[in-house]
């Protein structure tokens, strides 16, 4: 797992067609996957000093570092597919997680980078054909359907790969042929205006 150091995107294998980024935001382990053939995890990994326990001046500094590290990996893709926040999740960090999500969304929209939104159930449906699936089931589905993206079993990266693959599929450049049951997730996601794609179930 990468800490908040600003690292360039890892190298990967170029895939033809539009460049799509899948983004599963988290303070500690944001999953990022690119259709250029790489995936990465970025976050605040100091368990002895978690962001939610820091004094507010240090907390916002740490949060900005996480945001900057994520943005450095994004580049200028044709589309970013973000997972929407799980609003049912409460407890420590929900306030800070909301800040990070909106900060990234603000940057992307201000930069005129198209953003699509998928909720967790839609992501699981696209990966497994079911709207409820375990983390391990999604990791296994990614390893089977998109083996070129090596997640090392990291469920955050696996989630990002699914989001990225769904975006490519919507733009009519699927990485692999998906069953109609899985592709039904595309009709439920929110796609930005001005991008070409049908998302129709074939």
């Amino acid at each position: 797992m990468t800490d908040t150091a600003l690292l360039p995107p890892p190298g990967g294998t170029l895939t033809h067609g539009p460049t799509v980024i899948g983004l599963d935001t988290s303070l500690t382990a944001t999953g990022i996957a690119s259709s250029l053939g790489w995936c990465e995890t970025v976050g605040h990994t100091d368990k002895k000093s978690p962001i939610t326990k820091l004094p507010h001046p240090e907390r916002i500094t740490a949060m900005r570092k996480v945001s900057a590290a994520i943005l450095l990996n994004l580049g200028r893709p044709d589309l970013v597919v973000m997972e929407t926040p799980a609003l049912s999740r409460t407890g420590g960090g929900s306030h800070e997680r909301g800040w990070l999500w909106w900060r990234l969304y603000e940057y992307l929209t201000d930069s005129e980078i198209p953003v699509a939104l998928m909720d967790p159930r839609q992501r699981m449906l696209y990966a497994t054909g079911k709207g409820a699936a375990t983390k391990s089931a999604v990791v296994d589905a990614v390893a089977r359907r998109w083996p070129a993206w090596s997640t090392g079993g990291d469920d955050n990266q696996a989630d990002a790969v699914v989001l990225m693959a769904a975006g490519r599929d919507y733009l009519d450049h699927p990485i692999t042929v998906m069953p109609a049951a899985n592709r039904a997730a595309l009709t439920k996601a929110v796609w930005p205006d001005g991008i070409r794609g049908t998302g129709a179930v074939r």
Side-chain angles (χ1 to χ4, degrees):
M1 179 179 294
T2 303
D3 208 335
T4 54
L6 303 184
L7 299 177
T13 302
L14 177 66
T15 61
H16 299 291
T19 300
V20 178
I21 293 282
L23 188 59
D24 179 25
T25 62
S26 165
L27 292 168
T28 58
T30 288
I32 308 171
S34 170
S35 60
L36 298 180
W38 58 265
C39 49
E40 178 65 285
T41 308
V42 177
H44 181 87
T45 59
D46 187 349
K47 294 182 179 180
K48 294 183 178 179
S49 300
I51 284 179
T52 54
K53 300 298 183 181
L54 295 174
H56 280 71
E58 296 177 29
R59 189 179 309 184
I60 190 62
T61 297
M63 290 162 62
R64 285 170 175 159
K65 286 182 178 180
V66 172
S67 173
I70 294 168
L71 294 176
L72 189 64
N73 279 271
L74 299 187
R76 293 285 310 183
D78 298 298
L79 175 68
V80 173
V81 184
M82 293 182 70
E83 182 166 305
T84 56
L87 299 179
S88 60
R89 291 182 60 190
T90 59
S94 59
H95 189 54
E96 291 81 1
R97 290 196 303 271
W99 176 92
L100 178 64
W101 193 94
W102 280 108
R103 173 68 188 97
L104 298 172
Y105 183 83
E106 177 187 45
Y107 170 87
L108 293 168
T109 55
D110 285 354
S111 301
E112 299 183 343
I113 297 173
V115 180
L117 304 175
M118 294 189 81
D119 69 28
R121 291 182 62 85
Q122 293 158 6
R123 170 186 45 78
M124 289 185 283
L125 177 60
Y126 188 76
T128 69
K130 299 179 180 179
T134 63
K135 291 180 182 295
S136 60
V138 173
V139 170
D140 290 346
V142 169
R144 184 176 70 255
R145 296 188 184 279
W146 305 286
W149 282 262
S150 179
T151 68
D154 185 319
D155 60 274
N156 304 291
Q157 292 184 28
D159 290 349
V161 171
V162 176
L163 296 168
M164 175 274 297
R168 287 273 304 205
D169 198 345
Y170 179 80
L171 294 177
D172 299 322
H173 286 81
I175 297 170
T176 189
V177 176
M178 297 293 287
N182 300 58
R183 296 192 78 247
L186 301 180
T187 66
K188 302 174 185 297
V190 178
W191 302 99
D193 295 333
I195 63 170
R196 297 184 64 183
T198 62
V201 175
R202 290 188 288 267

